Amino acid sequence: MTESWLFTSESVSDGHPDKLADRISDSVLDRCLQLDRNAKVACETLLTEGLVVLAGEFRLDGEDGLRTLRDALDEVVRELLRDTGYDAGFPGIDPETCEVLIRIHGQSVQIAKGIERERGVLGAGDQGLMFGYACDETPERMPLPIQLAHRLMQRQHDLRRLPEFAWLRPDAKSQVSVRYTDGRPTAVETVVLSTQLQGTITDADVERETIRHLIEPVIPPALRAPEIRYLVNPAGRFEIGGPQGDTGLTGRKIIVDTYGASCPHGGGAFSGKDPTKVDRSAAYAARWLAKHLVAAGAARRCTVQLAYAIGRPDPVSIRVDGHGTGLVAGSRMEQAVRDVFDLTPAGIIRDLDLRRPIYAATAAFGHFGREHPDFTWEQTPRIDALRHALGL
């Protein structure tokens, strides 16, 4: 009997207020890692009309570490706003005149002691559970709905930098509904695209130009359902956007950041956290494991769960689920990843080279499924070792 269902995922643009908050937090993290590669960072950002608030806990080497950082943060915020397209005079968040409020302090000495244990052992920066996922639906081994949703937002980003698309503004959202038949994606049935506007362009022209130049170049003709629906700005005229239209906050787009709800989520956000925080580093490691397992042919679809206790180096649990598509049992895959990968925080940081200032680039268009040279968790150098451990 044939089974059929719809699955939907969404993405947001780099200028969406929540993504702005994520990107500011990760830009702050990158600045910290430039000052001290062992910096401990937990940075939160809030944006609203005319105001950016930075808060968090930091530890940098040297007596003047925090003072040096504090002096740099105002310009980090303003430069990111300018780079995103929120230029001088922009309604709601003018980077030249908005207020930047900074409230940062040192990391808890008790947390620091728990993380950096005796004999140089690095413990997890917090307790928590993390999920990684991979499948064979796309070349990037990501679910098709979230990949298409991200590509739509990347396309919007590229178009609004062209003079003929000056009517596009930075705030935007996408949503893609895909028909699955017997577990395989077969057709895109609905695309929702909301994009902030400026100027006198008519709603009819917005719809026509968005479909022609933004949506259709992303959705392959072979994947379009016969009665595909394009819903462009379905609520009507969209001119009031960004922090003027909605408050932005770090960590509010965790499903956008990961797999578009195609697998469970542990609940931890990524942005603004240095790699000793396993919310981030172990989530990257779990993706690395899942992608290796699918690339090695162990399963067509794979979810990996890792869990940690604060201050302890080894994961308290590892779970691998092949969702009925595996060539070997889940328990065997679990043992194989234990044999091939070091899943302590120190091992993850070392093997994925996570003490670099690479994080601002992760904070828009998804942390996974992007062939970026700095995204080491997307590389699969241990396929042969994993196949050997699995007996494949």
Side-chain angles (χ1 to χ4, degrees):
M1 178 179 175
T2 298
E3 288 190 279
S4 179
W5 63 87
L6 283 170
F7 192 86
T8 302
S9 295
E10 71 163 348
S11 183
V12 298
S13 70
D14 56 332
H16 182 281
D18 289 329
K19 270 289 138 222
L20 276 177
D22 286 340
R23 294 174 61 226
I24 290 171
S25 292
D26 273 337
S27 295
V28 170
L29 170 60
D30 283 352
R31 180 59 62 91
C32 292
L33 292 172
Q34 289 167 354
L35 295 170
D36 176 7
R37 68 186 304 271
N38 293 310
K40 304 300 185 296
V41 180
C43 180
E44 310 293 345
T45 303
L46 179 146
L47 300 99
T48 190
E49 187 169 11
L51 174 66
V52 180
V53 179
L54 288 180
E57 303 81 49
F58 298 79
R59 182 155 62 95
L60 283 79
D61 187 40
E63 293 183 4
D64 295 330
L66 273 184
R67 185 181 302 111
T68 301
L69 173 65
R70 188 178 284 107
D71 291 344
L73 292 184
D74 184 273
E75 186 54 31
V76 168
V77 171
R78 298 184 194 278
E79 184 56 36
L80 185 134
L81 291 173
R82 295 184 198 109
D83 178 68
T84 308
Y86 290 95
D87 48 18
F90 200 99
I93 194 72
D94 183 333
E96 310 309 322
T97 62
C98 68
E99 181 181 3
V100 178
L101 185 62
I102 299 169
R103 293 291 185 270
I104 64 175
H105 60 273
Q107 184 187 43
S108 160
V109 294
Q110 293 177 334
I111 291 176
K113 184 178 179 180
I115 294 171
E116 297 180 358
R117 301 173 66 83
E118 297 177 0
R119 299 183 299 279
V121 173
L122 187 66
D126 202 350
Q127 71 174 46
L129 49 140
M130 303 84 207
F131 288 92
Y133 183 80
C135 61
D136 63 357
E137 294 179 16
T138 63
E140 300 83 6
R141 297 190 168 91
M142 286 286 286
L144 181 64
I146 189 66
Q147 253 343 53
L148 292 176
H150 284 324
R151 288 175 188 166
L152 288 167
M153 290 295 88
Q154 182 68 63
R155 178 78 176 167
Q156 194 266 1
H157 168 276
D158 295 341
L159 287 180
R160 62 184 166 83
R161 280 158 170 73
L162 302 177
E164 58 268 40
F165 294 96
W167 48 272
L168 288 171
R169 275 187 162 170
D171 193 358
K173 299 179 80 171
S174 63
Q175 187 171 281
V176 179
S177 299
V178 174
R179 172 71 60 184
Y180 282 75
T181 304
D182 289 335
R184 309 297 292 180
T186 53
V188 176
E189 294 200 359
T190 304
V191 176
V192 181
L193 201 299
S194 296
T195 183
Q196 187 185 12
L197 311 171
Q198 65 179 340
T200 59
I201 187 169
T202 67
D203 290 346
D205 286 343
V206 168
E207 181 175 18
R208 183 185 65 252
E209 294 298 292
T210 299
I211 292 171
R212 179 185 300 172
H213 296 289
L214 202 163
I215 297 175
E216 288 188 337
V218 170
I219 309 299
L223 275 176
R224 298 175 198 164
E227 303 298 327
I228 190 171
R229 294 187 301 164
Y230 300 133
L231 305 178
V232 177
N233 286 1
R237 195 80 176 170
F238 178 16
E239 293 174 320
I240 301 171
Q244 184 185 32
D246 190 15
T247 300
L249 192 64
T250 300
R252 273 208 305 218
K253 289 292 177 284
I254 57 177
I255 301 302
V256 170
D257 286 342
T258 53
Y259 309 99
S262 289
C263 78
H265 196 289
F270 301 157
S271 291
K273 298 176 181 177
D274 76 82
T276 66
K277 278 73 171 176
V278 285
D279 276 346
R280 178 168 225 154
S281 55
Y284 289 177
R287 163 65 176 171
W288 198 39
L289 301 184
K291 191 170 184 181
H292 266 88
L293 287 163
V294 173
R300 288 195 300 104
R301 179 175 166 233
C302 183
T303 299
V304 174
Q305 185 200 46
L306 303 175
Y308 291 82
I310 186 169
R312 298 300 181 92
D314 294 308
V316 297
S317 72
I318 301 174
R319 166 74 170 142
V320 179
D321 185 358
H323 303 284
T325 70
L327 295 182
V328 296
S331 58
R332 190 168 170 187
M333 288 192 277
E334 290 164 16
Q335 186 58 52
V337 299
R338 288 179 183 273
D339 293 342
V340 174
F341 299 92
D342 181 352
L343 296 174
T344 64
I348 293 169
I349 291 169
R350 179 194 66 237
D351 292 344
L352 295 180
D353 196 10
L354 295 181
R355 293 199 186 276
R356 297 167 295 146
I358 60 172
Y359 296 103
T362 68
F365 316 121
H367 292 245
F368 308 123
R370 296 165 60 197
E371 301 302 323
H372 191 292
D374 287 331
F375 292 10
T376 47
W377 51 92
E378 292 299 312
Q379 300 166 16
T380 52
R382 301 187 185 181
I383 290 176
D384 290 343
L386 187 58
R387 288 181 60 84
H388 178 74
L390 290 166
L392 296 177

